[in-house]
Amino acid sequence: MQRERSFRRYDIYKFIGKWDESLVLGLISAEHLALNLLTPSTVLDARSEIKTGISVQLDWSLDNLGATISGRKNLEHSFIDYKALLNVYGHDDSVSFNTQCGSQWDGFGYYGDQATGLYYNGTKHENIIRTGNENLGIHNWCARGGIVGRGVLLDYVAYMEETGQELPNPCTRFGITVDVLDKIVAHQGIEWRDGDILFIRSGFVRWYNAAGPEEREKNISGPDAAFIGVKTNDASRDWLWNHHFSAVAGDTLAFEQYPILSNSVALHEYLLPRWGTPIGEMFDLETLSKQCAAHKRWSFFFTGAPLNIPGGIASPPNAIAIF
């Protein structure tokens, strides 16, 4: 059963990482708040989702997004030939990339509250680099065992097509409302559990896979770039809060509709600095969608192992769904 949370006293817990007063007593520590909903018992419950043994990788290929986003460095991959160097038959390879150039988890040092400059647990902006992001780095997620639990896909694309509705252009600032998300929940027969890992398929990756190079570059790197996502309003914020997700992810570039306007409710500013909820972006949910339809269920066992880089700001998800 969904437990409602009021936002009237929200400011009391603004930057101290607590769901409500009962958790102040130590039932969940302030560190990595939402991830702490993934308790051993939650993970054990999630294993019941494994019935067929079919697994699906949810990472886009790191070189897939050829267009440059916000000047970020794309993947550079080179080989080292040990036959030429040492007369030994063997190879190494070397990779260099911005951790936000493809499928990614946004960590807690990525985005702060824009009004105060504070990050999760009240961390100041200057302390991120000064401390090597020791307290908020993604290596802390690795130390707790990664992100493992029950994943749930809300397939917006399939729902719109199955109900005869026209899909919006994913390269526009279209906002998916919580009213529609609730209709998808009913359509798919989802029953929520605390600590579920939410995935939303909006259609961006499907568009990208079908688009040509010029269309991709124009829509992603152009000055008017805009993308579909969860609507940036109070209703979306409240809906995410009340469902107690341990992490959220989507197939679009920002999870929420982009660009984030000054008069809108920036979900990044709630999920990351206030609630300690990882945000996944540009996940490849196409094969997952097909498997969900084939299995006639939209929940699955999920495991994600971010890169164990001390102080990491973001990371490829290394994500797998298992049916």
Side-chain angles (χ1 to χ4, degrees), residues 249-265:
D251 62 346
T252 188
L253 272 81
F255 181 73
E256 58 192 295
Q257 61 184 145
Y258 179 88
I260 302 170
L261 304 181
S262 59
N263 62 349
S264 63
V265 176

Side-chain angles (χ1 to χ4, degrees), residues 203-259:
F204 174 80
V205 166
R206 187 172 76 164
W207 164 82
Y208 187 91
N209 290 342
E214 291 184 3
E215 185 181 0
R216 293 174 178 176
E217 186 71 27
K218 174 185 175 182
N219 283 282
I220 293 175
S221 300
D224 300 321
F227 307 105
I228 191 172
V230 176
K231 193 168 184 63
T232 52
N233 61 12
D234 290 342
S236 296
R237 176 200 62 187
D238 294 4
W239 189 87
L240 291 168
W241 168 273
N242 287 327
H243 281 78
H244 296 186
F245 298 121
S246 57
V248 300
D251 62 346
T252 188
L253 272 81
F255 181 73
E256 58 192 295
Q257 61 184 145
Y258 179 88

Side-chain angles (χ1 to χ4, degrees), residues 138-204:
I138 283 182
H139 66 281
N140 292 294
W141 303 2
C142 299
R144 70 170 307 283
I147 301 176
V148 181
R150 188 179 87 137
V152 175
L153 173 68
L154 297 187
D155 198 334
Y156 173 74
V157 175
Y159 169 77
M160 294 292 283
E161 292 179 339
E162 290 168 11
T163 55
Q165 301 181 65
E166 183 178 355
L167 278 165
N169 182 346
C171 292
T172 60
R173 192 180 178 275
F174 182 88
I176 302 172
T177 67
V178 296
D179 288 341
V180 171
L181 293 179
D182 280 335
K183 289 178 181 178
I184 299 172
V185 170
H187 183 73
Q188 296 179 179
I190 298 296
E191 293 186 5
W192 295 113
R193 302 176 189 170
D194 275 3
D196 278 343
I197 303 162
L198 170 68
F199 297 86
I200 298 176
R201 178 176 175 244
S202 68
F204 174 80

Side-chain angles (χ1 to χ4, degrees), residues 89-141:
Y89 289 102
H91 296 89
D92 275 355
D93 59 356
S94 177
V95 296
S96 177
F97 60 95
N98 185 300
T99 51
Q100 302 245 356
C101 75
S103 301
Q104 76 208 242
W105 287 117
D106 285 348
F108 302 148
Y110 167 64
Y111 203 79
D113 178 74
Q114 300 304 296
T116 65
L118 296 177
Y119 295 75
Y120 185 66
N121 269 350
T123 303
K124 295 181 179 179
H125 180 81
E126 56 269 24
N127 287 341
I128 298 292
I129 294 178
R130 184 183 65 81
T131 66
N133 199 27
E134 179 180 1
N135 292 330
L136 302 187
I138 283 182
H139 66 281
N140 292 294
W141 303 2

